[in-house]
């Protein structure tokens, strides 16, 4: 168990809908990262938050957004869903960045199926 | 410049054999190179990591070899076991606290 909790584990929704994925980082970790894993694209970085602030952005679609709350949990919002958004979405957490940082630990993921 | 190339895509090894997975990177700003192991239905789990100030790091049966001049690094799994059958990802980042750029993954099968 990595200590990173993601909910829900599975999600099935229709095209055009909006969903929210939730992530609770490991105790003490301040950074949260979101990754998308699909068969043809591998593991792709979406966005990073550090202590409530957006720190880095990857190839995240404009239809997607995220935030990190004061209790450090994070939510990834996916809207106007398309069939191609079907994928595994992983959250990872680490203490840093910074000199006291730890490695990134991944949650079990949320499998999103858009039908 | 952000890419990490990984090979082979799949690998079949006999029990007790050596599994070797290779990665190459382009961005010379990368200074942290972890390997992750992923079982079906699970999230990637950190296996071993190296920084470019050393050429090799060993943890149990797992060894990372790092060649800074060639911008390449590899994972060696000694005495491979059926329980090692999983997908392995190499990755790179600027520090251990920033975004990871992943390789495409290698599906390892260790036959009994």
């Amino acid at each position: 168990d990595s200590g990173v909790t993601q909910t829900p584990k599975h999600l099935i929704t229709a095209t055009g809908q909006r969903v929210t994925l939730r992530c609770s980082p490991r105790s003490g970790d301040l950074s949260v990262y979101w990754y998308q894993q699909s068969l043809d694209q591998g593991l792709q970085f979406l966005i990073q938050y550090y202590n409530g602030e957006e720190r880095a952005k990857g190839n995240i679609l404009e239809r997607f957004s995220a935030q990190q709350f004061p209790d450090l949990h994070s939510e990834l919002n996916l809207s106007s869903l398309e069939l191609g958004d079907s994928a595994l979405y992983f959250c990872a957490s680490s203490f840093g960045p910074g000199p006291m940082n730890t490695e990134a630990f991944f949650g079990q993921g949320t499998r999103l199926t858009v039908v | 410049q952000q890419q990490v190339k990984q090979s082979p895509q799949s690998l079949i090894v006999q029990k007790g054999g050596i599994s070797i997975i290779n990665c190459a990177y382009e961005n010379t700003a990368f200074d942290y190179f972890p390997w992750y192991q992923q079982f079906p239905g699970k999230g990637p789990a950190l296996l071993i990591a190296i920084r470019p100030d050393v050429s090799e790091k060993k943890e149990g049966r797992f060894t990372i070899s790092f060649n800074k001049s060639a911008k390449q690094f590899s994972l060696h799994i000694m005495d491979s076991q059926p329980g090692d059958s999983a997908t392995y990802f190499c990755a790179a980042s600027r520090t251990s606290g920033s975004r990871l750029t992943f390789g495409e993954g290698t599906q390892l099968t260790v036959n009994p």
Side-chain angles (χ1 to χ4, degrees):
Chain A
D1 182 8
S2 66
V4 179
T5 303
Q6 287 187 249
T7 57
K9 284 189 170 52
H10 302 277
L11 200 49
I12 301 175
T13 190
T15 55
Q17 295 299 303
R18 181 180 188 274
V19 297
T20 297
L21 312 184
R22 182 188 169 100
C23 169
S24 294
R26 292 190 318 158
S27 176
D29 283 355
L30 302 177
S31 265
V32 169
Y33 315 76
W34 287 97
Y35 291 86
Q36 180 192 56
Q37 185 176 35
S38 58
L39 283 174
D40 57 345
Q41 294 278 338
L43 273 159
Q44 298 287 321
F45 169 74
L46 295 178
I47 197 163
Q48 177 193 4
Y49 278 81
Y50 174 68
N51 206 19
E53 300 290 325
E54 182 184 303
R55 182 161 181 95
K57 205 175 234 187
N59 296 325
I60 187 167
L61 300 172
E62 284 191 13
R63 301 183 285 109
F64 296 1
S65 65
Q67 53 185 327
Q68 186 179 28
F69 295 85
D71 67 353
L72 301 176
H73 91 271
S74 178
E75 292 180 356
L76 179 66
N77 300 296
L78 314 176
S79 61
S80 303
L81 284 167
E82 302 174 359
L83 294 178
D85 297 327
S86 296
L88 272 167
Y89 291 85
F90 287 104
C91 168
S93 75
S94 70
F95 179 79
M100 298 298 292
N101 189 49
T102 63
E103 292 84 0
F105 291 85
F106 282 74
Q108 300 275 355
T110 294
R111 181 176 292 280
L112 173 67
T113 303
V114 182
V115 297
Chain B
Q1 259 224 330
Q2 293 293 321
Q3 285 186 325
V4 176
K5 294 291 189 184
Q6 183 173 345
S7 64
Q9 193 172 11
S10 63
L11 181 61
I12 299 175
V13 173
Q14 291 300 116
K15 178 183 175 182
I18 303 174
S19 304
I20 302 174
I21 305 171
N22 301 299
C23 284
Y25 63 97
E26 298 173 357
N27 190 344
T28 54
F30 288 147
D31 67 354
Y32 174 69
F33 303 89
W35 284 89
Y36 282 83
Q37 179 189 55
Q38 185 179 27
F39 292 104
K42 303 291 186 183
L46 179 67
L47 197 58
I48 186 173
I50 197 169
R51 295 188 187 277
D53 52 343
V54 296
S55 60
E56 187 174 283
K57 182 174 181 180
K58 185 176 181 179
E59 288 185 3
R61 296 185 294 110
F62 301 92
T63 301
I64 299 180
S65 297
F66 186 83
N67 185 329
K68 187 174 181 178
S69 61
K71 292 188 286 184
Q72 295 175 348
F73 58 111
S74 60
L75 176 70
H76 291 64
I77 306 175
M78 311 300 287
D79 188 26
S80 298
Q81 300 296 312
D84 297 330
S85 297
T87 301
Y88 292 80
F89 292 93
C90 63
S93 70
R94 289 194 173 193
T95 69
S96 63
S98 63
R99 58 190 285 183
L100 290 165
T101 298
F102 283 90
E104 298 90 341
T106 296
Q107 187 163 354
L108 172 66
T109 302
V110 181
N111 289 327

